Amino acid sequence: MRGCATDGVVAWHRTLRKAFHSFCSPTSCIFGPNLPDVWVPREHTPPHTLFPESLQWANNGHNALILEGKPIAKQIKLEVADEIRRMKSGIGKFPRLAVVLVGDRRDSHTFIHIKLKACDQVGIETVTSQLPENCDESELLDVVSGFNEDPDVHGILVQLPLPQHLDEEKIINVVSPEKDVDGFHPLNIGNLAIRGRKPFFVPCAPKGCIELLLRHGVEIKGKRAVIIGRSKIVGLPTSLLLQRHHATVSVLHAYTKNPEHITSEADIVVVDVGVPNIVRGNWLKKGAVVIDMGTNQVKDPSGHGFCVSGDVCFEEAVKVASAITPVPGGVGPVTISMLLSNTLDSAKRAFGMV
Amino acid sequence: MRGCATDGVVAWHRTLRKAFHSFCSPTSCIFGPNLPDVWVPREHTPPHTLFPESLQWANNGHNALILEGKPIAKQIKLEVADEIRRMKSGIGKFPRLAVVLVGDRRDSHTFIHIKLKACDQVGIETVTSQLPENCDESELLDVVSGFNEDPDVHGILVQLPLPQHLDEEKIINVVSPEKDVDGFHPLNIGNLAIRGRKPFFVPCAPKGCIELLLRHGVEIKGKRAVIIGRSKIVGLPTSLLLQRHHATVSVLHAYTKNPEHITSEADIVVVDVGVPNIVRGNWLKKGAVVIDMGTNQVKDPSGHGFCVSGDVCFEEAVKVASAITPVPGGVGPVTISMLLSNTLDSAKRAFGMV
């Protein structure tokens, strides 16, 4: 985002947004344009020096643009609700999501509550199956299989993590890939990884990350993207999706020797590590776009109870980055709306509408 | 590989090899050790300057170690042949590979000939189905389905590329993932991508790349690895596999703005782009390990006919790298031996031997 006086940034965003929407059809947007790799033999060129572009990207003393997730989530929910209303009045059908919850984890119950409420707001019917902490694996498999075979269920969400005695891999494998609204099934991950293919679903948090970037007009093609963290739920699929958008992707993890240096070269930084404030302001190139996907429970500085903090030291990063997500209120709300959009897509496929 | 006088390099390789084999069991080696990511909050550290380690990695004027593939391929073939002999005498069974060839491409016929000959050398039975260039898609699907259902076929190889009128994605999807010895099925790619999971098969060229590195004692964990090229056959799965070995992976492609700079930071460089000599000596950090997976037909400099050339300018790279694969004779022979090992593994699974 060059020319970074605030008006210039906003104007640049509008230009990018127009350019982007004329570039690819809405249905291909989430995977990026399917461009061939045409390599051109290169002349002898010396190595780049660090930060040639960032000098132009300097945020000129302005704080970063805050990439608010709530307005985007709200917009997406309106779009989904509208489509479901038309589906109901048109063909008398609607999407149904099955939710499977095992055990008593407080955070899991909270997340499920948020998801069910969001479904209710947009017109997605839900059916919940709750199993005790010590349930047999066969019970859980039966529940999932039942939802697989139910033609009136379009999405199946098994809330993770599962109790330790259950084989999470086996459970995820059993969910039908065509109802795997979380996008965790290896068939969906494989089809996400392979350029030119389309999975039935993209995992919600990575999909939300891309929506945040695209809807704020952030250019991805040709940019250096660094993903810090490689979880199967966030880091891995986000890296695959950014690569589909033709970013040059580097994935950092706990065995990376110099994450600060590599991160300092990134135009786009996505963090999901689970350590509060691990990414400091001096890790970042001036003008970088920062997507903080961390959700850490930390003691509230006021001394009363707990609050949610990201993996990025916001106070430092906001002075360096050109744009940054807040925590909470960044990727989180958009992630939930992606679950709604995934469930709707599944129903549309089931009804032969796509 | 520090301390790079030749004897020192050889001694370092021996040390690494011992350390590696005591680190993980043979069956887990191809996926690397399954290590958890334990992040430690970092103190404020300034960004690294470029090349601090390479000054220690300088190859001191010695040419790079040539990572010959033929001796490794020979060794792997001996191991496979030995295991098949014992299988035949022990349980009276042996692996069988089905090979499907469509059309008249000369290179495809050559590759199939090489693969069938290798199978014959180690005791893998083969059955070949040859279809004309203009065959119907349904004919090809029937052939593949037939092999899927045949309990005496343990591996199915559909030689790519297919004629343009055939839907390659559909054909690959139909091959049973449990017989997909090329490892291209999205289920296998997905299970390769997700840490902690195991695909039925790893694609042969990436698997060969890792075997070359491991058998030469090259340390992967914690190293910067740059993969230039992101094809589904080579670049993509190689990047996933190196990440499983805890390298810090960056994937470059035709939309990468400064591939020379990023490559210059890599300890391990893997190239598969299809452009002869695109990677020059000055792209490389002193002491880098270079795996050239390119196979380009170029005019023989002698003026007679054609020869095979890699994607790396060997004459320049050999003076900078600490180790480099030749083309031909590097990854190619090992790739073929990986097909044999994949087919054997499939038979062992079918016979309940693993």
Side-chain angles (χ1 to χ4, degrees):
Chain A
M1 286 173 286
R2 293 172 172 71
C4 281
T6 317
D7 288 351
V9 166
V10 172
W12 181 247
H13 286 177
R14 276 198 228 110
T15 310
L16 284 173
R17 208 174 289 128
K18 277 194 209 153
F20 188 86
H21 281 135
S22 65
F23 192 96
C24 68
S25 76
T27 49
S28 71
C29 277
I30 204 64
F31 299 109
N34 198 12
L35 306 170
D37 273 340
V38 180
W39 285 85
V40 177
R42 298 174 81 89
E43 296 301 319
H44 170 91
T45 48
H48 274 237
T49 50
L50 269 179
F51 304 133
E53 291 174 80
S54 65
L55 295 174
Q56 303 166 47
W57 282 43
N59 70 5
N60 290 338
H62 298 276
N63 273 357
L65 181 70
I66 307 301
L67 301 174
E68 297 282 1
K70 286 183 186 174
I72 288 177
K74 187 176 173 184
Q75 178 59 31
I76 292 169
K77 283 165 88 170
L78 285 172
E79 292 164 9
V80 169
D82 183 55
E83 226 180 315
I84 292 175
R85 251 192 309 275
R86 286 187 278 116
M87 183 187 273
K88 280 181 179 173
S89 65
I91 59 170
K93 295 183 182 186
F94 46 82
R96 183 180 274 113
L97 174 68
V99 172
V100 185
L101 179 56
V102 184
D104 305 313
R105 282 180 67 119
R106 194 169 158 180
D107 55 354
S108 293
H109 277 255
T110 302
F111 289 141
I112 289 294
H113 172 77
I114 292 169
K115 292 169 189 177
L116 292 176
K117 183 177 164 191
C119 286
D120 189 58
Q121 285 168 342
V122 301
I124 292 174
E125 295 267 329
T126 54
V127 52
T128 307
S129 180
Q130 217 165 310
L131 293 168
E133 178 86 16
N134 60 354
C135 71
D136 283 340
E137 198 169 83
S138 58
E139 289 179 74
L140 177 53
L141 289 169
D142 284 347
V143 165
V144 172
S145 298
F147 287 139
N148 279 343
E149 286 156 32
D150 186 345
D152 293 327
V153 163
H154 311 106
I156 302 169
L157 186 158
V158 179
Q159 184 64 39
L160 302 178
L162 292 170
Q164 296 241 355
H165 68 283
L166 299 171
D167 184 342
E168 193 176 280
E169 184 176 322
K170 189 191 281 189
I171 304 302
I172 290 173
N173 281 354
V174 164
V175 175
S176 163
E178 287 156 305
K179 299 190 180 188
D180 169 42
V181 284
D182 266 335
F184 296 155
H185 193 286
L187 187 70
N188 284 320
I189 293 289
N191 279 320
L192 175 60
I194 302 170
R195 200 151 55 111
R197 283 176 171 259
K198 285 194 168 59
F200 290 116
F201 304 98
V202 176
C204 301
K207 195 177 175 189
C209 168
I210 295 292
E211 283 283 349
L212 254 176
L213 290 170
L214 294 182
R215 289 188 187 231
H216 279 99
V218 175
E219 188 179 20
I220 303 176
K221 180 158 75 86
K223 297 300 181 193
R224 266 312 274 285
V226 162
I227 292 81
I228 308 179
R230 53 174 168 169
S231 71
K232 60 182 185 261
I233 292 176
V234 179
L236 166 71
T238 306
S239 71
L240 298 174
L241 200 47
L242 282 166
Q243 197 164 291
R244 292 288 291 263
H245 281 262
H246 313 291
T248 297
V249 173
S250 302
V251 179
L252 313 191
H253 46 71
Y255 300 93
T256 300
K257 287 185 179 160
N258 54 349
E260 306 92 335
H261 168 72
I262 304 171
T263 304
S264 71
E265 300 201 322
D267 304 306
I268 298 170
V269 180
V270 182
V271 195
D272 183 50
V273 162
V275 177
N277 299 318
I278 192 171
V279 175
R280 306 293 299 272
N282 70 339
W283 284 41
L284 302 169
K285 178 161 103 170
K286 275 195 186 302
V289 175
V290 181
I291 308 287
D292 187 350
M293 297 172 89
T295 48
N296 307 294
Q297 294 278 333
V298 297
K299 283 197 173 139
D300 195 292
S302 68
H304 300 107
F306 288 84
C307 66
V308 177
S309 154
D311 290 340
V312 177
C313 179
F314 186 89
E315 293 70 28
E316 291 179 5
V318 74
K319 295 172 187 156
V320 180
S322 63
I324 182 168
T325 51
V327 179
V331 184
V334 189
T335 297
I336 299 293
S337 68
M338 292 297 102
L339 172 64
L340 309 177
S341 121
N342 276 356
T343 307
L344 171 60
D345 284 348
S346 186
K348 285 162 71 173
R349 269 194 297 263
F351 302 150
M353 295 171 72
V354 286
Chain B
M1 288 173 282
R2 292 171 173 74
C4 280
T6 317
D7 288 350
V9 165
V10 171
W12 180 247
H13 286 174
R14 274 198 229 110
T15 311
L16 286 172
R17 209 174 288 129
K18 276 193 213 156
F20 188 85
H21 282 138
S22 65
F23 191 99
C24 66
S25 77
T27 51
S28 72
C29 277
I30 203 64
F31 299 109
N34 197 13
L35 306 170
D37 273 339
V38 180
W39 285 85
V40 176
R42 298 173 81 89
E43 296 299 320
H44 170 90
T45 47
H48 274 236
T49 51
L50 270 177
F51 304 134
E53 290 173 80
S54 65
L55 295 174
Q56 303 163 49
W57 281 42
N59 67 5
N60 291 340
H62 296 276
N63 275 355
L65 180 71
I66 307 302
L67 300 175
E68 298 281 2
K70 285 182 185 173
I72 288 177
K74 188 175 172 187
Q75 177 59 33
I76 292 169
K77 283 165 88 169
L78 284 173
E79 292 164 8
V80 169
D82 183 55
E83 227 181 313
I84 292 175
R85 251 191 310 275
R86 286 186 279 114
M87 182 187 275
K88 280 181 179 172
S89 66
I91 60 170
K93 294 184 181 184
F94 46 82
R96 182 178 278 113
L97 174 69
V99 172
V100 184
L101 179 55
V102 183
D104 305 314
R105 282 179 67 118
R106 195 167 157 182
D107 56 353
S108 293
H109 277 256
T110 303
F111 290 140
I112 290 293
H113 172 76
I114 292 169
K115 292 169 189 177
L116 293 177
K117 184 176 163 193
C119 285
D120 189 57
Q121 286 170 341
V122 300
I124 292 173
E125 296 265 330
T126 55
V127 51
T128 308
S129 179
Q130 215 164 312
L131 292 167
E133 178 85 19
N134 61 354
C135 71
D136 283 340
E137 196 170 85
S138 58
E139 288 178 73
L140 177 52
L141 289 169
D142 285 345
V143 166
V144 172
S145 299
F147 287 140
N148 280 343
E149 288 157 29
D150 186 346
D152 293 327
V153 164
H154 310 107
I156 302 169
L157 187 158
V158 179
Q159 184 63 38
L160 302 177
L162 292 170
Q164 296 243 353
H165 70 283
L166 298 171
D167 184 342
E168 195 178 278
E169 182 176 325
K170 189 191 281 188
I171 305 302
I172 290 173
N173 281 353
V174 165
V175 175
S176 164
E178 286 156 305
K179 299 189 180 189
D180 168 42
V181 284
D182 266 336
F184 295 156
H185 193 286
L187 187 71
N188 284 320
I189 294 290
N191 279 320
L192 174 60
I194 303 170
R195 203 152 53 112
R197 283 178 171 259
K198 284 192 171 55
F200 292 115
F201 304 98
V202 176
C204 300
K207 196 177 175 189
C209 168
I210 296 289
E211 283 283 349
L212 253 176
L213 290 170
L214 295 183
R215 291 190 186 229
H216 279 99
V218 175
E219 188 177 22
I220 302 176
K221 181 159 75 87
K223 297 301 178 194
R224 269 307 278 281
V226 162
I227 291 80
I228 309 179
R230 53 174 168 169
S231 70
K232 60 181 185 260
I233 292 175
V234 179
L236 166 72
T238 305
S239 70
L240 298 174
L241 202 45
L242 282 166
Q243 197 165 291
R244 294 285 295 260
H245 281 263
H246 313 290
T248 297
V249 172
S250 302
V251 178
L252 313 191
H253 46 71
Y255 301 93
T256 300
K257 287 183 179 162
N258 54 349
E260 307 91 336
H261 168 70
I262 303 171
T263 304
S264 70
E265 301 201 321
D267 304 305
I268 299 170
V269 180
V270 182
V271 194
D272 183 51
V273 161
V275 178
N277 300 319
I278 192 171
V279 175
R280 307 292 300 270
N282 71 337
W283 285 41
L284 303 169
K285 179 161 100 171
K286 276 196 186 301
V289 174
V290 180
I291 308 287
D292 187 350
M293 297 173 90
T295 47
N296 307 293
Q297 293 278 335
V298 298
K299 280 197 173 138
D300 196 290
S302 68
H304 298 108
F306 289 85
C307 63
V308 176
S309 151
D311 291 338
V312 178
C313 180
F314 186 89
E315 294 69 29
E316 292 179 5
V318 76
K319 296 172 187 159
V320 180
S322 62
I324 183 168
T325 51
V327 179
V331 184
V334 189
T335 298
I336 300 293
S337 69
M338 291 297 99
L339 171 64
L340 308 178
S341 120
N342 275 356
T343 307
L344 171 60
D345 285 347
S346 187
K348 284 162 73 175
R349 269 194 298 263
F351 303 149
M353 294 170 74
V354 285

